Structure formats: C-alpha cells, structure tokens
Amino acid sequence: MMQITDLATEQKLLPLLRQAFRPLFLFGAAFSAIAMLLWGLILGGQLQLQPVGQVLFWHSHEMIFGFACAIVIGFLLTAVQNWTSLRAPHGPTLLLLTLLWLAARLLLLFGEALPLWLVALVDLSFLPLAAWLLAKPLLAVQQYRNLFFVPVLLLLTACNLIMYLGLFLGRYDLQQLGSLNAIWLITLLMAIVGGRVIPMFTANGTKTPKVEALLWLDRAALGSLWLIFVLHFFSLAPLLPASLLSALFALSALLTAIRCARWKIWLTFKVSLLWSLHLAYWFIPLGLALFALRYAGFAISQSIALHALTAGAMGSMILSMMARVSLGHSGRLLQPKQIMAWAFLLVALAGISRTLLIWLLPAHTFSLLWLGIACWVLAYACYVLVYLPVLTTPRADGRPG
C-alpha cells in the first residue's frame, strides 16, 4: 500500500480515529454484547425497559442495523484505503460518523418518548453518509468493481426505512419485511466477500495451493441468493407455491455447500482465524437448508431458519473477520491470542443453540435461548477485552493508519 499520509500528521490523531475499523469494531462488538444481554433480561422479566418500538422491534432492528451494519461499514471504510491507495475516513469525519451511529443506538434504546421521525432520521442517516464516504475514493480512482457496495448500502437503508414505516403504520408485516430483506442482503454480502477472501486466506495461512473458483458454480450459487433476495424484497415469495420455494432454497443450499466444501476446511484446523471463517460460511447453507425443509412442510419456524444466518453466519463471520482485520490493519502478525479460539467456538455454539438445538429440543427453548445469549455475550466481550489495546494504540509497525 502507498504511504498516503505522513507519520507526523498521523501522530496528532487519536489512535482510535485513524481507521474506521477501530471505533466501529470496538463499539459495535461491545454494543452487541450489551444488547444481547439486555434482550435476555427483558425476555426473562428481570429488566423493565421499553425501547423504541418495544422489545421485539428493537432486538431485530438493532442486531442488524446497529451491530452488523456498524461492522460492515468499519470493514468497507478500512478496505477502501487498500483498494484505492487514498486516505480513508479518519479524524473528525470518522468521529462524526461514529457519534451518529452511537446517537442512533441511544435514541432507540431510551427514546420511546421522542417523536419517531426524529429517531428514524438520525438512524437512517448513518448508512447513506457511509456510502458517500465509500464512493468518494472509489470514484476518484475509477475503481468500479468495488463501487458495487455503495448501492448495497443504499438498499440496506431502504430496508431500514421499511422497518420504520412498519412501526409508524402499526404494520408488523412491514417490520418483518424490512428485517428479512436486510438479512438476505447481508447474507449475500457474506457470500460474495467470503468467496473472495476465504480461498486466498486459506492458501496463505496453510501454505497450500489456492483453490481456483469455478465460474459457473460461483454464478449459480450467488445467482440463487440474488433471486431469493429479489423475491423477498418485492414480496413475491408469498405468491409462489411452497414446493417451488423449497426447491429454490434446497438448490441454493446445495450450490453454496459445494462451493465452500471446495475450500477444504480440514486444512485449517490448526489456524483459528481460518477454521472460524470456514465454519461461519457453513452456517449459510445450513440456513438455506432449514428454509427448504420449512417450505417442504417440516416443523421449523422462520425464526429458527433465520437465526442460522444471523446468530450463526453473521455472528461467527463478523467475529472472525474483526479478529483478523484488527490485527492486519494495526501492523500485527495474524496470530490472535489463544482465548480467541474459544470465543470463535462460543459464538458458533450460540448459533447452533439458537437453531438446531431449539428445533430438536423445543421443550427446552427458553434454556437454549439463554445458552445462546450467554455464549454470544462471552464471545464478544472476549473480543472487546483482548482487542481494546490493539484498537486504541498506534500501529505496531510504526506506519500511519
């Protein structure tokens, strides 16, 4: 990467504000642990709290648009510096973006008495601002391949808006539509980015030849996910026969499973930063398969199938990517502390508890919910504690950034 700023200028900046991954990973991870714990306490009746839209809206909204979107933006606004060799958002600009995100979290948690339009305005501003900050350097160097992420962020904004419209109109179906669309869109992002980086990371980390992509397989797997997103975004899925939807989900699950099986997870078992990414990706075909079974008539709730993609795939992939990006972009070796391997296992267990175990042991649903909550909170608290000094101190190699 080119030297895009001088060290003297960089040293005047608070380390936390030198790259987007620093504040957004730190605060996003901490928020997810806090939000998950609050969710459990409210469910169990140990805490009386009325966030905006009541607790069901708040939980689904904040784990997507509060937590997941913060990490996505932290990743993209960090990666764009490598992609373009232009300085990514930092300093006052990054501070403004972070404070906007934080203000939205506080308003949604404590702003029940405030006008809904005010809460929505603050929250809906975050992704468009981030999209603009991402688009500027990409357009400056005419790098159109990665410009794809800008309309994706705007589509996520539309999903967020649909959730707020549902809340304003008292339409639970619209709230669900916005949430579901966002989940499918982030799943698609994980499938695209994972397909780009996992084979490369695996080859580099295991010193083995890189598995070359099969163009037809990638197009078919990603095309099926695009089709699933479009069917849900335009509310076409309910109009189709259940048997056709089951076949579509089964095909998508099969294609995605073949795709990630080719990356040879068995080569990675000694490298936690690798097997954790592979394991996260395997939750995607699991979620698709659960949807296929659901439409085929099996007693699987939509919540169980969706949580394979959220608690499973998103929870695991986000934690693994944060652990890797935080080391690599702070000038450190890609060797996380051993405790992070346990964190990766814990967050995977959270996903399994929230999906397969609840499906197989419905009589123990509440206990399994708490098991999932506890595993998630411990995993993300572990990241915060381990990576706090990494994210709040200068790069270990003395370079700017």
Side-chain angles (χ1 to χ4, degrees):
M1 186 180 69
M2 295 170 53
Q3 177 142 327
I4 47 184
T5 188
D6 65 273
L7 188 58
T9 301
E10 192 77 5
Q11 287 175 338
K12 296 177 183 177
L13 286 176
L14 190 69
L16 190 64
L17 298 177
R18 294 182 185 180
Q19 283 266 47
F21 77 92
R22 292 174 175 269
L24 291 176
F25 284 10
L26 179 61
F27 297 143
F31 171 73
S32 82
I34 294 169
M36 194 66 75
L37 182 59
L38 291 178
W39 162 247
L41 293 174
I42 294 171
L43 277 184
Q46 291 92 359
L47 179 65
Q48 299 299 316
L49 186 64
Q50 292 188 334
V52 170
Q54 302 306 314
V55 70
L56 288 176
F57 173 91
W58 177 79
H59 173 67
S60 61
H61 181 278
E62 289 299 83
M63 294 310 291
I64 299 169
F65 297 105
F67 162 59
C69 284
I71 309 306
V72 168
I73 297 305
F75 173 78
L76 291 176
L77 292 185
T78 299
V80 74
Q81 186 161 300
N82 281 0
W83 296 339
T84 65
S85 294
L86 297 177
R87 189 67 168 101
H90 61 285
T93 302
L94 181 55
L95 177 62
L96 173 63
L97 184 70
T98 303
L99 289 177
L100 183 62
W101 173 85
L102 181 60
R105 310 289 68 80
L106 293 174
L107 287 176
L108 275 150
L109 187 56
F110 300 113
E112 176 68 13
L114 296 174
L116 181 59
W117 65 264
L118 176 61
V119 177
L121 180 63
V122 173
D123 186 42
L124 287 167
S125 300
F126 174 70
L127 286 174
L129 175 58
W132 178 68
L133 293 173
L134 178 65
K136 282 178 61 181
L138 291 173
L139 291 172
V141 300
Q142 299 181 349
Q143 192 184 100
Y144 301 122
R145 177 175 183 252
N146 288 317
L147 198 61
F148 150 82
F149 291 106
V150 174
V152 168
L153 296 181
L154 298 180
L155 278 173
L156 279 171
T157 304
C159 296
N160 196 3
L161 178 60
I162 291 171
M163 284 200 76
Y164 279 110
L165 286 175
L167 186 59
F168 180 77
L169 298 173
R171 292 272 304 275
Y172 182 65
D173 60 320
L174 287 180
Q175 296 174 36
Q176 278 196 314
L177 179 64
S179 172
L180 187 60
N181 286 340
I183 290 170
W184 286 122
L185 195 53
I186 295 174
T187 299
L188 186 57
L189 271 180
M190 290 190 296
I192 292 170
V193 174
R196 287 187 185 182
V197 304
I198 293 177
M200 178 180 61
F201 289 168
T202 300
N204 294 341
T206 61
K207 310 301 181 187
T208 57
K210 179 185 174 185
V211 175
E212 296 301 326
L214 295 178
L215 188 58
W216 71 266
L217 179 60
D218 287 359
R219 286 179 174 175
L222 296 178
S224 67
L225 285 172
W226 270 114
L227 179 57
I228 288 169
F229 168 71
V230 169
L231 289 176
H232 285 88
F233 189 80
F234 292 103
S235 298
L236 299 175
L239 305 179
L240 299 177
S243 58
L244 183 59
L245 288 172
S246 179
L248 172 60
F249 278 102
L251 176 63
S252 187
L254 178 62
L255 291 169
T256 306
I258 294 172
R259 191 177 184 224
C260 54
R262 295 184 68 247
W263 301 334
K264 303 176 181 177
I265 186 175
W266 55 89
L267 297 176
T268 70
F269 291 152
K270 294 182 180 180
V271 186
S272 64
L273 283 181
L274 294 178
W275 61 252
S276 56
L277 275 177
H278 283 257
L279 186 60
Y281 206 96
W282 273 105
F283 273 104
I284 299 178
L286 172 62
L288 294 168
L290 288 173
F291 269 103
L293 292 172
R294 167 177 162 78
Y295 284 115
F298 286 79
I300 300 174
S301 70
Q302 178 168 281
S303 175
I304 287 175
L306 278 178
H307 277 82
L309 303 175
T310 54
M314 290 182 202
S316 293
M317 188 168 290
I318 284 174
L319 187 62
S320 183
M321 286 297 289
M322 286 197 306
R324 185 184 189 92
V325 170
S326 299
L327 293 175
H329 284 273
S330 63
R332 290 167 170 82
L333 295 176
L334 296 178
Q335 296 175 355
K337 293 185 182 298
Q338 185 60 40
I339 194 174
M340 287 307 299
W342 291 102
F344 298 146
L345 288 173
L346 281 171
V347 76
L349 179 57
I352 293 169
S353 172
R354 190 60 183 83
T355 54
L356 292 179
L357 294 184
I358 285 182
W359 175 35
L360 297 172
L361 303 169
H364 302 281
T365 293
F366 192 74
S367 297
L368 291 170
L369 279 175
W370 262 110
L371 174 61
I373 289 169
C375 289
W376 182 289
V377 171
L378 287 173
Y380 276 88
C382 181
Y383 171 83
V384 172
L385 293 174
V386 169
Y387 281 86
L388 180 64
V390 173
L391 299 172
T392 57
T393 56
R395 285 180 63 105
D397 57 9
R399 293 173 56 188

